[in-house]
Amino acid sequence: MTTPLGGAPLTSLEQDPAMAGGDADSGDAGDLGPQPVVNRTIGRRHGHHGRNWMGHGRRAKSNPELRGGFDGLNFHDQRYANGGNQFSVEPPDQGLCVGNGFVMESVNDVLAVYDKSGNELVGPVDLNTFYGYPAAINRSTGAYGPSITDPSCYYDSDTRRWFQVVLTLDRVGTTSSLAGTNHLDIAVSQTANPTGAWNIYHLPVQNNGTQGTPDHGCDGGFCLGDYPHIGADNNAIFLTTNEFALFGSGFYGAQIYAISKKALVHGAASPNVVLFNGGDPNIPAPAFTVWPATSPDGQFAGARGGTEYLLSSDAVFYDSGTSNTLWLWSVSNTRAIDKAPTALNLDVSPLTVQDYAVPTSLVQQKPGDTPLRDCFALTGCAPTYLGYPNIVYPTPRPMAVNDSRMQQVTYANGKLWGTLDTDVLLADGTHGSGINYFVINPHSGGLFANGTLALPDANLTYGAAAVTRSGRGVIAFTVVGPDNYPSAGYASFDAKIGAGDVHIAAAGAGPWDGFTGIPYLAGNRPRWGDYGAAATDGDRIWTASEYIAQTCTLTDYLTAPMFQCGGTRGALGNWATRISKFEL
């Protein structure tokens, strides 16, 4: 523990040791800091060798579709929930679900419930408490609780129930060491009110032959059910994961879990579960981030005995970092999940789309106050107040964007809608990030719309799309560039025009100033999000985007209570989220 002069100390337990070094799904080797215990690495190169689309989109002059919004959860909420018995976590990873007059947001690692005016009804409550576990770290005793990450949520208007999913990694007792077992924890509300009681289910995903799991032979003896996401059709809830070796190296293919929706809703003790192993050599697709679709207002695909559609991309597997292929997955005969679960069928087929490419991993952001960066650069500041040696970075530090994995998928109006991030060429000749969008006919594999949303002078990243049952949608994302602090942006989305002009829902107040990417803290890879979120509620669409809602000087940062800048950030980060409402 360090002892700063004139304020409270920065503890020696700011980060979960199990996650030290950060999620490395799309990172490069050679971190200067300690390597993570959880190693989630897929090798790939940046997409500078394929076709790069120029940023040609337009900035809108007004925001006619926006009908309100409010700030959601932020870094300060995350770090100081549960009496401060939390770790500093970056990035937030957002879950958002909306229905029955409520808005629920979850991030790494807190949750809140609001009414539709943005009044907070519950929270911020830490996810360890929500799922009935001990605190992430008990700062009085030093005891560790399970390590929770990657939240997602979904409101099912068909059953009027809420579903909240996380990945949970067990510890060896109350020590910081991981036991190897890990599970998807599925919370299901007992009523249509998310502020009431929930049932909790635990689905083991270590897939090493223990606790009823199959043995996938992951290096080191335990698989990891990383990056879980949720979808649904009329009969089943679908959860997908990226399966990595937990204690070794290697990627073993995405996993698709179909679970009886009826059993979950009725609180059954042992709902039927069907697992499709994307790592099976008989499956033609390189299965990575296979994202299941959600459907607005119960508009599920009823063909072939009930069908769930999923999408994935594959550019990360090629040295060029480019591809013109998406993979369409479908699980059919889902109505058999309760009586004959082995009768569910999996089909996979390629779709030819516009070229897309893995974006350049780091982009420029607008200069401004960055007190964490400034403290590391100022002689004596970091050693005195943070307990680490000085290190000098550019002002401000470059910010990370997404790779080209599939993002949120929707089945609406008989079509399949999705986005992913792609490399684009900016007007100054540098490479940046834009958003490739798709509107697909899942029956024929044809495309209603396919294009790239990009700006000539800024980056768009972590797109999340939602669509109403009539086929009108919104893509939400972060806008960042030399003239833009990280801001919450959006564009309209339909099957005829594709994506519309870029709007700003909430402008960033300052630069990103987080701990990831700093040696001694989290290696050399900065982080910004893993995914945003969007949800449909009748003719309304709600989105949650990461942005920066605060700014403060180094003097503010070192003023008691230290590192909090008046309760707007934490010592090691300043991310925030913006929840926006659109009427279509």
Side-chain angles (χ1 to χ4, degrees), residues 209-264:
T210 64
Q211 298 180 341
T213 64
D215 190 350
H216 289 173
C218 288
D219 185 27
F222 291 86
C223 301
L224 174 72
D226 190 38
Y227 206 68
H229 283 96
I230 188 169
D233 81 338
N234 190 48
N235 306 297
I237 294 294
F238 286 82
L239 304 178
T240 62
T241 65
N242 285 332
E243 187 164 275
F244 292 88
L246 177 54
F247 295 134
S249 61
F251 175 61
Y252 292 80
Q255 307 297 303
I256 302 172
Y257 297 87
I259 311 171
S260 167
K261 185 196 292 188
K262 181 188 296 184
L264 290 173

Coordinates of all heavy atoms in Angstrom, one line a residue, residues 209-264:
G209 N -15.0 -31.9 -18.7 CA -15.6 -33.1 -18.2 C -16.1 -33.1 -16.8 O -16.6 -34.1 -16.4
T210 N -15.9 -32.0 -16.1 CA -16.4 -31.9 -14.7 C -17.8 -31.2 -14.7 O -18.1 -30.5 -15.6 CB -15.4 -31.1 -13.9 OG1 -15.3 -29.8 -14.3 CG2 -14.1 -31.8 -13.9
Q211 N -18.5 -31.4 -13.7 CA -19.8 -30.8 -13.4 C -20.8 -30.9 -14.6 O -21.6 -30.1 -14.9 CB -19.6 -29.3 -13.1 CG -18.8 -29.1 -11.8 CD -18.6 -27.6 -11.5 OE1 -18.8 -26.7 -12.4 NE2 -18.3 -27.3 -10.3
G212 N -20.7 -32.1 -15.3 CA -21.6 -32.4 -16.4 C -21.2 -31.8 -17.7 O -22.0 -31.9 -18.6
T213 N -20.0 -31.1 -17.8 CA -19.6 -30.5 -19.0 C -18.9 -31.5 -19.9 O -18.3 -32.5 -19.4 CB -18.7 -29.3 -18.8 OG1 -17.5 -29.8 -18.2 CG2 -19.4 -28.3 -17.9
P214 N -18.9 -31.3 -21.3 CA -18.1 -32.1 -22.2 C -16.6 -31.7 -22.0 O -16.3 -30.7 -21.4 CB -18.6 -31.7 -23.5 CG -19.1 -30.3 -23.4 CD -19.7 -30.2 -22.0
D215 N -15.7 -32.6 -22.5 CA -14.3 -32.3 -22.4 C -13.8 -31.8 -23.8 O -13.7 -32.6 -24.7 CB -13.6 -33.6 -22.0 CG -12.1 -33.3 -21.6 OD1 -11.6 -32.1 -21.9 OD2 -11.4 -34.2 -21.1
H216 N -13.5 -30.5 -23.9 CA -13.0 -30.0 -25.1 C -11.5 -29.9 -25.2 O -10.9 -29.4 -26.1 CB -13.6 -28.6 -25.3 CG -15.0 -28.6 -25.6 ND1 -15.8 -27.5 -25.7 CD2 -15.9 -29.6 -25.9 CE1 -17.1 -27.8 -26.0 NE2 -17.1 -29.1 -26.1
G217 N -10.8 -30.5 -24.2 CA -9.4 -30.6 -24.2 C -8.6 -29.3 -24.2 O -7.5 -29.2 -24.8
C218 N -9.1 -28.3 -23.5 CA -8.4 -27.0 -23.4 C -7.1 -27.1 -22.7 O -7.0 -27.8 -21.7 CB -9.3 -26.0 -22.7 SG -10.7 -25.4 -23.7
D219 N -6.1 -26.4 -23.2 CA -4.7 -26.4 -22.7 C -4.8 -25.9 -21.2 O -5.5 -24.9 -20.9 CB -3.8 -25.5 -23.5 CG -2.4 -25.5 -23.0 OD1 -1.9 -26.5 -22.5 OD2 -1.7 -24.5 -23.2
G220 N -4.1 -26.6 -20.3 CA -4.1 -26.3 -18.9 C -5.3 -26.9 -18.1 O -5.3 -26.6 -16.9
G221 N -6.2 -27.6 -18.8 CA -7.2 -28.4 -18.0 C -8.5 -27.7 -17.9 O -9.5 -28.4 -17.4
F222 N -8.7 -26.4 -18.2 CA -10.0 -25.7 -18.0 C -10.2 -24.8 -19.2 O -9.3 -24.0 -19.6 CB -10.0 -24.9 -16.7 CG -10.0 -25.7 -15.4 CD1 -8.8 -26.1 -14.9 CD2 -11.2 -26.0 -14.8 CE1 -8.8 -26.8 -13.7 CE2 -11.2 -26.8 -13.6 CZ -10.0 -27.2 -13.1
C223 N -11.4 -24.9 -19.8 CA -11.8 -23.9 -20.8 C -12.4 -22.7 -20.1 O -12.8 -22.7 -18.9 CB -12.8 -24.5 -21.7 SG -12.2 -25.9 -22.6
L224 N -12.5 -21.6 -20.8 CA -13.1 -20.4 -20.3 C -14.3 -20.0 -21.2 O -14.1 -19.8 -22.4 CB -12.1 -19.2 -20.3 CG -12.6 -17.8 -19.9 CD1 -12.9 -17.8 -18.4 CD2 -11.6 -16.8 -20.3
G225 N -15.4 -19.7 -20.7 CA -16.6 -19.3 -21.4 C -16.7 -17.8 -21.5 O -17.6 -17.1 -21.0
D226 N -15.8 -17.2 -22.3 CA -15.6 -15.8 -22.4 C -16.6 -15.1 -23.3 O -17.2 -15.7 -24.2 CB -14.2 -15.5 -23.0 CG -13.8 -14.1 -22.9 OD1 -14.1 -13.4 -21.9 OD2 -13.1 -13.6 -23.9
Y227 N -16.9 -13.8 -23.0 CA -17.6 -12.9 -23.8 C -19.0 -13.4 -24.1 O -19.5 -13.5 -25.2 CB -16.9 -12.7 -25.1 CG -17.1 -11.4 -25.9 CD1 -16.7 -10.2 -25.4 CD2 -17.8 -11.4 -27.1 CE1 -16.8 -9.0 -26.2 CE2 -18.0 -10.3 -27.9 CZ -17.5 -9.1 -27.4 OH -17.7 -7.9 -28.1
P228 N -19.8 -13.7 -23.0 CA -21.1 -14.3 -23.2 C -22.1 -13.2 -23.7 O -22.1 -12.0 -23.3 CB -21.5 -14.8 -21.9 CG -20.7 -13.9 -20.9 CD -19.4 -13.7 -21.6
H229 N -23.0 -13.6 -24.6 CA -24.1 -12.7 -25.1 C -25.4 -13.5 -25.2 O -25.4 -14.7 -25.3 CB -23.7 -12.0 -26.4 CG -22.7 -10.9 -26.2 ND1 -21.4 -11.1 -26.3 CD2 -22.9 -9.7 -25.7 CE1 -20.8 -10.0 -26.0 NE2 -21.7 -9.1 -25.6
I230 N -26.5 -12.8 -25.2 CA -27.8 -13.4 -25.1 C -28.6 -13.0 -26.3 O -28.6 -11.9 -26.8 CB -28.4 -12.9 -23.7 CG1 -29.7 -13.7 -23.5 CG2 -28.6 -11.4 -23.7 CD1 -30.2 -13.4 -22.0
G231 N -29.4 -14.0 -26.7 CA -30.5 -13.9 -27.7 C -31.6 -14.7 -27.3 O -31.6 -15.5 -26.3
A232 N -32.7 -14.7 -28.1 CA -33.9 -15.5 -27.8 C -34.7 -15.7 -29.0 O -34.8 -14.9 -29.9 CB -34.7 -14.8 -26.7
D233 N -35.4 -16.8 -29.1 CA -36.6 -17.0 -30.0 C -37.8 -17.3 -29.1 O -37.7 -17.1 -27.8 CB -36.3 -18.0 -31.1 CG -36.5 -19.4 -30.6 OD1 -36.4 -19.7 -29.4 OD2 -36.7 -20.3 -31.5
N234 N -38.8 -17.8 -29.7 CA -40.1 -18.1 -28.9 C -39.9 -19.1 -27.9 O -40.6 -19.2 -26.9 CB -41.2 -18.4 -29.9 CG -42.5 -18.5 -29.2 OD1 -42.9 -17.5 -28.5 ND2 -43.3 -19.6 -29.5
N235 N -38.9 -20.0 -28.1 CA -38.9 -21.2 -27.2 C -37.6 -21.3 -26.3 O -37.6 -22.0 -25.3 CB -38.9 -22.5 -28.1 CG -40.1 -22.5 -29.1 OD1 -41.2 -22.5 -28.7 ND2 -39.8 -22.4 -30.4
A236 N -36.6 -20.6 -26.7 CA -35.3 -20.8 -26.0 C -34.6 -19.5 -25.8 O -34.7 -18.5 -26.6 CB -34.4 -21.8 -26.7
I237 N -33.8 -19.4 -24.7 CA -32.8 -18.4 -24.5 C -31.5 -18.9 -25.1 O -31.1 -20.1 -24.8 CB -32.7 -18.0 -23.0 CG1 -34.0 -17.4 -22.5 CG2 -31.5 -17.1 -22.8 CD1 -34.3 -16.1 -23.1
F238 N -30.8 -18.1 -25.8 CA -29.5 -18.5 -26.4 C -28.4 -17.7 -25.8 O -28.4 -16.5 -25.7 CB -29.5 -18.3 -27.9 CG -30.4 -19.4 -28.6 CD1 -31.7 -19.2 -28.7 CD2 -29.8 -20.5 -29.2 CE1 -32.5 -20.2 -29.3 CE2 -30.6 -21.4 -29.8 CZ -31.9 -21.3 -29.9
L239 N -27.4 -18.4 -25.3 CA -26.1 -17.8 -24.8 C -25.0 -18.3 -25.6 O -24.9 -19.5 -25.9 CB -25.9 -18.2 -23.3 CG -27.1 -17.8 -22.4 CD1 -26.7 -18.3 -21.0 CD2 -27.4 -16.4 -22.4
T240 N -24.1 -17.4 -26.0 CA -22.9 -17.8 -26.8 C -21.7 -17.3 -26.1 O -21.7 -16.3 -25.4 CB -22.9 -17.2 -28.2 OG1 -22.9 -15.8 -28.2 CG2 -24.2 -17.7 -29.0
T241 N -20.6 -18.1 -26.2 CA -19.3 -17.7 -25.6 C -18.2 -17.9 -26.6 O -18.3 -18.7 -27.6 CB -19.0 -18.6 -24.3 OG1 -18.8 -19.9 -24.8 CG2 -20.1 -18.5 -23.3
N242 N -17.1 -17.2 -26.4 CA -15.8 -17.5 -27.0 C -15.0 -18.4 -26.1 O -14.7 -18.0 -25.0 CB -15.0 -16.3 -27.3 CG -15.6 -15.5 -28.5 OD1 -16.2 -16.1 -29.4 ND2 -15.4 -14.2 -28.5
E243 N -14.7 -19.6 -26.5 CA -14.0 -20.6 -25.6 C -12.5 -20.5 -25.8 O -12.0 -20.9 -26.8 CB -14.5 -22.0 -25.9 CG -14.0 -23.0 -24.9 CD -14.8 -24.3 -24.9 OE1 -15.8 -24.4 -24.2 OE2 -14.4 -25.2 -25.6
F244 N -11.8 -20.1 -24.7 CA -10.4 -20.0 -24.7 C -9.9 -21.0 -23.6 O -10.7 -21.4 -22.7 CB -9.9 -18.6 -24.3 CG -10.1 -17.6 -25.4 CD1 -11.3 -16.9 -25.4 CD2 -9.1 -17.3 -26.3 CE1 -11.5 -15.9 -26.4 CE2 -9.3 -16.4 -27.3 CZ -10.5 -15.7 -27.4
A245 N -8.6 -21.3 -23.6 CA -8.0 -22.0 -22.5 C -7.9 -21.0 -21.3 O -7.4 -19.9 -21.5 CB -6.7 -22.6 -22.9
L246 N -8.3 -21.4 -20.1 CA -8.2 -20.5 -19.0 C -6.8 -20.3 -18.5 O -6.3 -19.2 -18.3 CB -9.1 -21.0 -17.9 CG -9.1 -20.2 -16.6 CD1 -9.4 -18.7 -16.8 CD2 -10.2 -20.8 -15.6
F247 N -6.1 -21.4 -18.3 CA -4.7 -21.4 -17.8 C -3.6 -21.7 -18.8 O -2.5 -21.7 -18.5 CB -4.6 -22.4 -16.6 CG -5.5 -22.1 -15.4 CD1 -6.2 -23.1 -14.9 CD2 -5.6 -20.8 -14.9 CE1 -7.0 -22.9 -13.8 CE2 -6.4 -20.6 -13.8 CZ -7.1 -21.6 -13.2
G248 N -4.0 -21.9 -20.0 CA -3.1 -22.1 -21.1 C -3.3 -21.2 -22.3 O -3.8 -20.1 -22.1
S249 N -3.0 -21.6 -23.4 CA -3.2 -20.8 -24.6 C -4.1 -21.6 -25.6 O -4.2 -22.8 -25.6 CB -1.8 -20.5 -25.3 OG -1.2 -21.7 -25.7
G250 N -4.7 -20.8 -26.5 CA -5.5 -21.4 -27.5 C -6.9 -21.0 -27.5 O -7.5 -20.8 -26.4
F251 N -7.5 -20.9 -28.7 CA -8.9 -20.6 -28.9 C -9.6 -21.9 -29.4 O -9.1 -22.5 -30.3 CB -9.1 -19.5 -29.9 CG -10.5 -19.2 -30.2 CD1 -11.4 -18.8 -29.2 CD2 -11.0 -19.3 -31.5 CE1 -12.8 -18.5 -29.5 CE2 -12.3 -19.0 -31.9 CZ -13.2 -18.7 -30.9
Y252 N -10.7 -22.3 -28.8 CA -11.3 -23.6 -29.1 C -12.7 -23.4 -29.8 O -13.4 -24.4 -29.9 CB -11.4 -24.4 -27.8 CG -10.1 -24.8 -27.3 CD1 -9.3 -23.9 -26.6 CD2 -9.6 -26.0 -27.6 CE1 -8.0 -24.2 -26.2 CE2 -8.3 -26.4 -27.2 CZ -7.5 -25.5 -26.5 OH -6.2 -25.9 -26.1
G253 N -13.1 -22.3 -30.3 CA -14.3 -22.1 -31.0 C -15.4 -21.6 -30.1 O -15.5 -21.9 -28.9
A254 N -16.3 -20.8 -30.7 CA -17.5 -20.3 -30.0 C -18.4 -21.4 -29.6 O -18.5 -22.4 -30.3 CB -18.2 -19.3 -30.9
Q255 N -19.1 -21.2 -28.5 CA -20.1 -22.2 -28.0 C -21.4 -21.6 -28.1 O -21.6 -20.4 -27.7 CB -19.7 -22.6 -26.6 CG -18.3 -23.1 -26.4 CD -18.0 -24.4 -27.2 OE1 -18.7 -25.4 -27.1 NE2 -17.0 -24.3 -28.1
I256 N -22.4 -22.4 -28.4 CA -23.8 -21.9 -28.5 C -24.7 -22.8 -27.5 O -24.7 -24.0 -27.7 CB -24.4 -22.1 -29.9 CG1 -23.6 -21.2 -30.9 CG2 -25.9 -21.6 -29.9 CD1 -24.0 -21.5 -32.4
Y257 N -25.3 -22.2 -26.5 CA -26.1 -22.8 -25.6 C -27.6 -22.4 -25.8 O -27.9 -21.2 -25.8 CB -25.7 -22.5 -24.1 CG -24.3 -22.9 -23.7 CD1 -23.2 -22.0 -24.0 CD2 -24.0 -24.1 -23.1 CE1 -21.9 -22.4 -23.6 CE2 -22.8 -24.5 -22.8 CZ -21.7 -23.6 -23.0 OH -20.4 -24.0 -22.7
A258 N -28.4 -23.4 -26.0 CA -29.9 -23.2 -26.1 C -30.5 -23.7 -24.8 O -30.3 -24.8 -24.4 CB -30.5 -23.9 -27.3
I259 N -31.3 -22.8 -24.1 CA -31.9 -23.2 -22.8 C -33.4 -23.0 -22.9 O -33.8 -21.9 -23.4 CB -31.3 -22.3 -21.7 CG1 -29.8 -22.3 -21.7 CG2 -31.8 -22.8 -20.3 CD1 -29.1 -21.3 -20.8
S260 N -34.1 -23.9 -22.3 CA -35.6 -23.8 -22.4 C -36.1 -22.4 -21.7 O -35.8 -22.2 -20.5 CB -36.2 -24.9 -21.6 OG -37.6 -24.7 -21.4
K261 N -36.7 -21.6 -22.5 CA -37.2 -20.4 -21.9 C -38.3 -20.6 -20.9 O -38.4 -20.0 -19.9 CB -37.7 -19.4 -23.1 CG -38.1 -18.1 -22.6 CD -39.0 -17.3 -23.6 CE -38.2 -16.9 -24.8 NZ -39.0 -16.0 -25.7
K262 N -39.2 -21.5 -21.3 CA -40.4 -21.8 -20.4 C -39.9 -22.3 -19.1 O -40.4 -21.9 -18.0 CB -41.2 -22.9 -21.0 CG -42.5 -23.3 -20.2 CD -43.2 -24.5 -20.8 CE -43.8 -24.2 -22.1 NZ -44.6 -25.4 -22.7
A263 N -38.9 -23.2 -19.0 CA -38.3 -23.7 -17.8 C -37.7 -22.6 -16.9 O -37.9 -22.5 -15.7 CB -37.3 -24.8 -18.0
L264 N -37.0 -21.7 -17.6 CA -36.4 -20.6 -16.9 C -37.4 -19.6 -16.3 O -37.3 -19.2 -15.1 CB -35.4 -19.8 -17.8 CG -34.1 -20.4 -18.3 CD1 -33.5 -19.6 -19.3 CD2 -33.2 -20.7 -17.1

